[in-house]
């Protein structure tokens, strides 16, 4: 989209301000996450000895979603004289933020028009060259004190417009500039047309101070809902708040009215081109328990793309709905088919699109939202239909193997993107990815539970609309029970059939040779080898199961499927995969921290700290500038919210099973459960849960295996033992 930020100045005898051309005396940049404000202070001296101070504040309004503003205060410290200020709207931008995409076409905007609005306004409209979306921006720039302004002229070029304001600066008399901008697109609701709306918003415009006031109130309300209080660890507290901030920058109240999904890199950069993957599985739990309205809106984004998913299933010869691994505007498959390995400079085939497990994510997310909110209307009109159509897809992609008398799923890729086929074969995909099969089994069972929750009439309607029969739903239960899960060794769940037969990888040798081996796939490809040959995973795959389900839930799933489950299943598998994962995805450490939370608190904390560093320390060495990692950001907050507190919303009970890592002395949360606030306080010694006064009935709170009944306004307090 066009850049609304350009604002600069020059002395009558000089060039436009450039930080590189002056001697910087002081520089401070601060992101105030409490009220969503970016502040910058620069003091500098130019080649002629003129010293100046520039203070900048910038907001993108959380209250008025069409408005953004910059305030600039320039103080001439030891000089007086004429300057020119240039304020512009720039529609000539190109998408060049990701180095490895630069060879691709980065030009997406066609200029439509530029013009002036009254004395102090400019406007620009552009259209995207493929989707034909129109965006209009209008900017109004005012100088204070007004007497400082001498004259204003407008300069235009295709897709670019600026005003040059000649001003008189006086020594030690701050000159303040306010640039406020209105932004509309042709997708916005309750508008006539983007240009008209941006013009009238600017004409009715308020001052920077007024905008800031409303913006700060909106942020304060968001923090009331979303903050998380940690005792005893300032660094974790600081980074978690930054993570909440970035999540809310990407998706919060203004999302509710839009047809948007949640891009895995936020709206912060161009990596993955804004595509929607499965990362919402790491993001929704936080929203479910804070602003569930946002989850609902994001699930509706999926619901609107159900027809496209049905079509995709049909095109591949399946029934039901098959959501694509990566998608965008209209929900069609958008995964790349070639991938540039920057190490070797080669474009290699990319078959990660075979990650059908994204479908289980969507069904799981619908159910989680329903469990947290009890939103029966959503389940009834939208959610159940998605779960049912996804169950249908799983039932049709699974085929019966008479030798085993089990159902199998072939040709897929699991969450670990390193393995996309068997070494030495041409056939794409893998057989029986355990995560996929177990999730499919869970969905097939869940579809029955979802249908049971519908009223008789709605159930009948849905049966008619989807041409469902009792025989079909009964067959889902049967297929779900008989899905095959591969094992090898002593109770190790094989990531996929044959994983245990792959070669062991020389982890120590490669670490010694390369240092950072997170992207082992690229290192091996550059050496003419392939990661498909080794027991080496990019990220948690089998372990995802222990992340998504409690041990009690998994015991049920395994029992239903007729596989053994013992208390050792989790630790044994965690140990096995822990040593075979490179963490090439930032999501991986969140999962590892989670699954170790009870068995090895120290190690869990180590993974947590590393996951916290994902973007603040750019641990992948350059990917943060391409866009933040929203799944890891939200995931770290959720690790504290649910992982360390053992919070679960299951079977109409709010469960807890706290186990804080040693460096965390206490956690304070305010969660939204079934439309009401619940205060939760966990320390190393006790758990306190309090339902607010508006809670209409008694609540069921589970601690380990016991269920307690708590009334509105009451506090449940439970003493905790130090060993969890
Ligand atoms: C991960 C995927 C993730 C995607 C987007 C990839 O590196 O392997 O699991 O969905 O990034 O974040």
């Amino acid at each position: 989209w066009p850049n609304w930020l350009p604002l600069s100045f020059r002395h009558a005898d000089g060039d436009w301000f450039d930080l590189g051309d002056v001697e910087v005396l002081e520089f401070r940049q601060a992101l105030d996450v409490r009220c969503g404000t970016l502040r910058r202070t620069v003091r500098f001296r130019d080649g002629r000895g003129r010293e100046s101070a520039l203070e900048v504040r910038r907001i993108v309004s959380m209250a008025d979603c069409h408005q953004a503003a910059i305030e600039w205060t320039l103080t001439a410290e030891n000089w007086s004289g004429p300057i020119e200020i240039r304020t512009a709207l720039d529609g000539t931008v190109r998408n060049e933020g990701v180095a490895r995409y630069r060879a691709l076409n980065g030009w997406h905007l066609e200029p439509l028009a530029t013009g002036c609005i009254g004395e102090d306004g400019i406007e620009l409209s552009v259209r995207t060259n493929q989707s034909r979306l129109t965006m209009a921006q209008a900017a109004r720039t005012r100088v204070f004190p007004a007497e400082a302004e001498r004259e204003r002229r407008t300069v235009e070029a295709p897709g670019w417009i600026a005003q040059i304001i000649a001003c008189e600066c006086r020594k030690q008399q701050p000159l303040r500039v306010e640039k406020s901008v209105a932004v509309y697109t042709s997708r916005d609701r309750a508008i006539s047309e983007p240009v008209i709306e941006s013009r009238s918003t600017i004409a009715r415009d308020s001052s920077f101070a007024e905008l800031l006031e409303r913006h700060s109130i909106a942020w304060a309300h968001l923090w009331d809902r979303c903050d998380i209080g940690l005792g005893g660890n300032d660094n974790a507290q600081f980074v978690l708040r930054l993570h909440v901030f970035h999540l809310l920058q990407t998706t919060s109240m203004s999302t509710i009215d839009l047809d948007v999904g949640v891009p895995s890199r936020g709206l912060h950069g161009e990596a993955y081109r804004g595509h929607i993957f499965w990362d919402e599985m790491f993001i929704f739990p936080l929203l479910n328990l804070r602003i569930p309205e946002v989850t609902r809106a994001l699930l509706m984004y999926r619901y609107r793309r159900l027809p496209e998913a049905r079509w995709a299933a049909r095109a591949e010869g399946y029934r039901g709905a098959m959501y694509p691994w990566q998608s965008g505007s209209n929900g069609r498959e958008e995964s790349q088919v070639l991938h540039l390995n920057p190490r070797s400079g080669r474009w290699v085939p990319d078959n990660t699109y075979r990650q059908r497990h994204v479908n289980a994510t969507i069904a799981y997310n619908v159910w989680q939202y329903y469990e947290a909110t009890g939103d029966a209307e959503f389940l009834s009109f939208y959610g159940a239909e998605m779960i049912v159509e996804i169950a249908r897809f799983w039932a049709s992609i699974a085929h019966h193997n008479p030798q085993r008398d089990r159902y199998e799923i072939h040709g897929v890729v699991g969450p670990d993107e390193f393995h996309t086929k068997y070494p030495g074969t041409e056939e794409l995909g893998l057989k029986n990815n355990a995560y996929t099969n177990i999730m499919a089994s869970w969905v097939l069972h869940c579809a029955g539970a979802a249908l049971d929750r519908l009223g008789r009439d709605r159930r009948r309607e849905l049966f008619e609309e989807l041409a469902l029969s009792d025989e079909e739903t009964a067959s889902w239960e049967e297929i779900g029970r008989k899905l095959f899960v591969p094992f090898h060794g002593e109770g190790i769940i094989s990531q996929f059939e044959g994983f245990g037969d792959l070669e062991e990888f020389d982890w120590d040798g490669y670490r010694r040779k390369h240092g950072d081996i997170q992207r082992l796939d690229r290192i091996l490809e550059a050496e003419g080898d392939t990661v498909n040959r080794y027991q080496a995973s990019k990220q948690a795959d089998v372990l995802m199961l222990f992340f998504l389900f409690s041990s009690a839930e998994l015991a049920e799933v395994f029992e239903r499927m007729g596989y053994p489950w013992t208390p050792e299943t989790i630790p044994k598998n965690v140990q096995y995969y822990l040593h075979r994962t490179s963490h090439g995805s930032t999501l991986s450490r969140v999962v590892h921290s989670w699954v170790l939370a009870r068995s090895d608190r120290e190690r869990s904390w180590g993974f947590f700290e590393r996951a916290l560093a994902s973007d603040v320390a750019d641990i992948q060495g350059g990917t943060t500038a391409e866009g933040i990692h929203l799944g890891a950001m939200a995931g770290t907050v959720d690790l504290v919210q649910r992982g360390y507190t053992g919070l679960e919303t299951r079977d109409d009970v709010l469960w807890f099973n706290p186990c804080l890592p040693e460096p965390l002395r206490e956690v304070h949360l305010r969660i939204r459960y079934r439309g009401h606030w619940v205060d939760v306080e966990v320390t190393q010694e006790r758990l306190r849960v309090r339902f607010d006064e508006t809670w209409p009935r008694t609540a069921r709170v589970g601690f380990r295996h016991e269920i307690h009944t708590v009334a509105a306004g009451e506090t449940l307090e439970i003493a905790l033992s130090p060993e969890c």
Side-chain angles (χ1 to χ4, degrees), residues 137 168 211 286 499 519 580 691:
Q137 294 187 351
E168 199 54 41
L211 274 176
L286 182 59
F499 185 81
R519 291 308 301 265
R580 291 171 173 81
F691 282 77

Side-chain angles (χ1 to χ4, degrees), residues 437-585:
N437 288 13
I438 292 170
M439 290 306 287
S441 168
W442 180 86
V443 174
L444 288 161
H445 180 72
C446 179
L451 287 169
D452 288 347
R453 300 280 173 120
L454 307 185
R456 210 184 48 211
D457 291 347
R458 182 62 195 138
R459 189 183 151 95
R460 182 183 47 75
E461 283 175 4
L462 205 59
F463 266 59
E464 283 175 13
E465 284 162 19
L466 303 180
L468 273 177
S469 66
D470 289 337
E471 293 73 56
E472 187 179 358
T473 56
S475 76
W476 297 344
E477 194 58 39
E478 160 84 2
I479 297 170
R481 274 193 296 108
K482 285 194 167 176
L483 268 162
F484 176 67
V485 179
F487 287 86
H488 66 272
E490 302 274 303
I492 299 302
I493 304 169
S494 308
Q495 191 175 296
F496 50 82
E497 205 171 342
F499 185 81
D501 302 330
L502 299 180
E503 283 174 49
E504 289 287 6
F505 183 69
D506 176 14
W507 293 95
D508 290 340
Y510 268 75
R511 277 198 188 105
R512 270 197 306 275
K513 192 164 151 204
H514 296 276
D516 178 358
I517 56 167
Q518 294 178 89
R519 291 308 301 265
L520 203 55
D521 55 333
R522 292 182 176 164
I523 295 175
L524 291 172
E525 195 278 329
E527 290 177 353
D529 200 351
T530 165
V531 70
N532 276 312
R533 282 179 49 205
Y534 304 100
Q535 292 193 35
S537 307
K538 177 179 180 188
Q539 64 201 94
D541 193 304
V542 167
L543 302 193
M544 279 300 298
L545 296 166
F546 314 142
F547 168 66
L548 297 178
F549 300 106
S550 63
S551 160
E553 276 176 295
L554 276 176
E556 254 176 54
V557 174
F558 272 61
E559 195 193 329
R560 205 161 47 231
M561 297 178 81
Y563 287 110
W565 178 268
T566 66
E568 283 76 52
T569 305
I570 296 184
K572 216 181 338 189
N573 278 277
V574 170
Q575 276 316 312
Y576 188 83
Y577 287 103
L578 200 56
H579 303 295
R580 291 171 173 81
T581 308
S582 78
H583 307 296
S585 159

